Amino acid sequence: MDVIEPRGGIWQVGHGRSVELGESACIMGILNATPDSFSDGGRYASVEAAVAESLKMVAEGATIVDIGGESTRPGATPVDAAEEQRRILPVIEELARRSDCLISVDTYRSGTARLAVEAGAHIVNDVWGAQKDPAIARVAAETGSGLCMMHTGRERETLPDVIEDQFLFLRHSLEIARAAGVPDAAIVLDAGFGFAKDGPENMILMARFAELMRLGFPLLVGTSRKRFVRGAIGREDPEPDIASAATSVLLRERGADIFRVHNVPANRDALMIADAMRRALQGERW
């Protein structure tokens, strides 16, 4: 298989910051300030525990910390905006005070997004692709934040072909973002592994991932500890980090730029090997 050169470029995010993509894989560490997330729910319920874990991930090599206050696992109990904000805003404020890392807020609510950016977040990461609450795109435009829009198959009819459905959904997300005034340089797209996709669909999406580069935007992936990864290795390991790192390498070879992960060191080292191989193929030395 040919190794695909990632799109790369400069991702413009909030508070006058930017992220250089392409040369090296960019790692986004996952921080769930929730009691019920599928992997680490309840571990970081206090502000101090959440900030300590965030700083640990940054020290291990994460460029971005993605902070969420509502679990997106199938069957999770929804929370209202007030509870979501109670969980995450103090964490964002304290992390912004103690670190210059880039902070992403994992929310689909425009009100939460605006408050999070005011608290110090640089990126809005929406698992509904700006289609649940389209005003979130206006928040990104008005605040100058980076905007990551994810594909989902939840609460909608999907096309039989997983790639065609990606184009259908994400092109609509792009229409919403552009109509709100979000510049292309602020946009990243996420294929939404695991969101209303079964095991074979996720594997096909991974195999054909390079086709998504036709959308013309940097691509983020989040396969870490997903159910389809556990299914592929044939056991219910709650933290299948070696297998997750393997998916990161395969997706890096197919053009992914940003990797949303739980275990930063495992993915960091695996992705360094993928990047070293790509540079060697280009005739570079290290």
Side-chain angles (χ1 to χ4, degrees):
M1 186 199 77
D2 292 335
V3 175
I4 305 297
E5 189 70 16
R7 183 182 184 277
I10 303 297
W11 185 16
Q12 300 293 336
V13 300
H15 305 292
R17 302 282 298 277
S18 63
V19 188
E20 185 175 353
L21 302 172
E23 180 62 24
S24 298
C26 178
I27 294 179
M28 173 186 279
I30 299 169
L31 194 290
N32 292 313
T34 59
D36 58 346
S37 290
F38 76 90
S39 177
D40 52 6
R43 289 188 192 177
Y44 313 116
S46 73
V47 173
E48 185 54 39
V51 172
E53 177 63 15
S54 298
L55 294 173
K56 176 174 175 284
M57 290 191 289
V58 172
E60 292 169 339
T63 299
I64 306 165
V65 177
D66 188 47
I67 300 173
E70 180 176 5
S71 175
T72 56
R73 68 176 174 81
T77 302
V79 301
D80 61 21
E83 176 61 17
E84 178 187 42
Q85 292 160 21
R86 184 194 68 78
R87 293 174 180 179
I88 66 173
L89 294 180
V91 178
I92 293 171
E93 288 174 352
E94 184 63 11
L95 181 58
R97 187 182 71 81
R98 295 173 57 180
S99 172
D100 65 352
C101 71
L102 295 173
I103 301 171
S104 169
V105 58
D106 180 358
T107 186
Y108 60 85
R109 294 183 175 96
S110 58
T112 299
R114 188 177 295 278
L115 291 172
V117 173
E118 290 173 358
H122 306 85
I123 297 160
V124 175
N125 181 19
D126 182 0
V127 298
W128 288 92
Q131 297 186 37
K132 188 88 162 180
D133 181 0
I136 203 167
R138 189 167 64 252
V139 171
E142 291 173 355
T143 62
S145 301
L147 178 62
C148 180
M149 297 184 292
M150 193 193 80
H151 173 281
T152 184
R154 293 180 181 176
E155 299 183 15
R156 51 183 284 267
E157 292 293 323
T158 58
L159 298 177
D161 184 276
V162 293
I163 298 297
E164 290 305 313
D165 196 69
Q166 291 275 327
F167 282 114
L168 175 70
F169 185 91
L170 291 174
R171 281 173 173 156
H172 183 44
S173 293
L174 289 169
E175 290 171 357
I176 293 169
R178 285 166 165 164
V182 181
D184 284 2
I187 296 173
V188 160
L189 301 177
D190 179 349
F193 283 94
F195 279 74
K197 303 170 184 70
D198 64 21
E201 287 173 325
N202 283 293
M203 289 299 177
I204 292 168
L205 178 57
M206 187 159 56
R208 297 178 59 190
F209 186 82
E211 295 178 47
L212 299 183
M213 294 187 72
R214 299 204 310 267
L215 288 163
F217 290 85
L219 299 169
L220 181 150
V221 293
T223 56
S224 181
R225 300 180 182 175
K226 291 287 176 74
R227 183 182 302 172
F228 84 93
V229 175
R230 299 197 301 274
I233 62 176
R235 63 178 187 274
E236 281 299 312
D237 183 345
E239 299 184 354
D241 290 332
I242 295 173
S244 295
T247 66
S248 292
V249 169
L250 291 169
L251 288 162
R252 182 63 171 166
E253 292 178 343
R254 289 161 172 79
D257 290 284
I258 305 164
F259 298 82
R260 185 178 182 273
V261 304
H262 297 87
N263 186 320
V264 172
N267 286 274
R268 174 201 65 205
D269 289 354
L271 288 163
M272 287 176 70
I273 296 297
D275 283 336
M277 181 184 70
R278 181 172 52 81
R279 289 193 294 270
L281 288 171
Q282 295 170 344
E284 298 180 24
R285 302 188 67 84
W286 67 93

